[in-house]
Amino acid sequence: MFHVVTADVFDRPLLDELCGLTTVTRTMAKSREGLRFLQELLPTRRAMLYFTQPSTRTFLSMNNACHILGVRTSEIRNPDVSSEVKGETFEDSIRTFSSYVDLIIMRTPQAGYAARAADLMDAIPRPVPVVNAGSGKDQHPTQALLDIYTLERSFENDGGVEGKTIGMMGDLRRGRTVRSLCRLLRHYPGVRLVFISPPAFEMEPDIKAYLEAHGTAYRETDNLSDCLPELDAIYVTRVQSEHDLENESSQVDFSRYSVGVDELRRMKPSAVIMHPLPRGPELRPEIDGDPRSMYWRQERNGLWMRVALIATVLGVADEIRAAAPRFAAL
Ligand code: CP
């Protein structure tokens, strides 16, 4: 693995390795000695966080994941303070970052820019890896990784993710998290997906075709009540208002696509409720204390999954695994 532009770079063995490494690093970091070991792994490496679309948790977890591994970070979060305002092209900006750092982590409002950056890197003499931290409506592969890890942990005493029925609800047409998660869930045999959305916001045909090509079962409904009792997990998403240039979502009643106390009553006692956050009215705060609500844990998992990912991309994963037994007893 060099670049992480789409979720397609992850096959099942790599997903299992990353989930295992995530648990190893979070366990290691609980002791002072383990945390110091991690922080001394990559002191000569530098990363660029190029986030030209708003972010709280992806930015903070990537930044802190770098620091946990000793990687120093620089950031541009507003292109108005970079030389892009002087007319520098996207490609020249990316090439410039690669002159100073060993890793580029980037989020853009447009789809396809992480792929453009990776293509550019592959064509220059000193390429650095590109990690996509969210690209327009298209892909959010590292979110999908932490979602898989959260599902794995949630079902570790219940046969794993395989064979589970997983609902995805909300603005599925414009939600990059669900698009990337679908691409990873096809690696888990027997998973059945239920897409729950207003008809105008249903999952895009390319993802449905992808699931069909890989034999992953899915069905679509606009009725949450009907499918709630069968779900092992529900992945709730918000209306993607940042893409709402024509105010489309205001024409649709999204209030039927929300989870609160009434919906909890109809869900399995073992069900898992997830959300990539930030949330809107679709996930009501009164359910935050329910043991089925996993979204705050999911958010914390993002830090450790990103530690595992950056360690893998920068080539120290084996070193961490080899050292893990030394810290297990601390
Ligand atoms: N889930 C997610 O990508 O959150 P942020 O937009 O806050 O990074």
Side-chain angles (χ1 to χ4, degrees), residues 79-128:
D80 291 347
V81 297
S82 81
S83 283
E84 286 180 63
V85 284
K86 299 178 222 163
E88 185 160 57
T89 62
F90 171 75
E91 274 74 13
D92 283 359
S93 298
I94 294 292
R95 187 161 184 169
T96 299
F97 302 154
S98 74
S99 296
Y100 304 128
V101 301
D102 307 291
L103 172 66
I104 296 170
I105 302 169
M106 57 182 288
R107 168 175 287 196
T108 56
Q110 313 89 341
Y113 273 53
R116 270 172 65 179
D119 287 348
L120 172 70
M121 286 299 111
D122 290 341
I124 65 172
R126 186 190 173 276
V128 304

Side-chain angles (χ1 to χ4, degrees), residues 54-59 107 140 143 176-177 276-278:
S55 167
T56 298
R57 64 220 86 234
T58 310
F59 176 83
R107 168 175 287 196
H140 198 347
Q143 175 72 43
R176 61 191 174 197
T177 61
L277 302 175

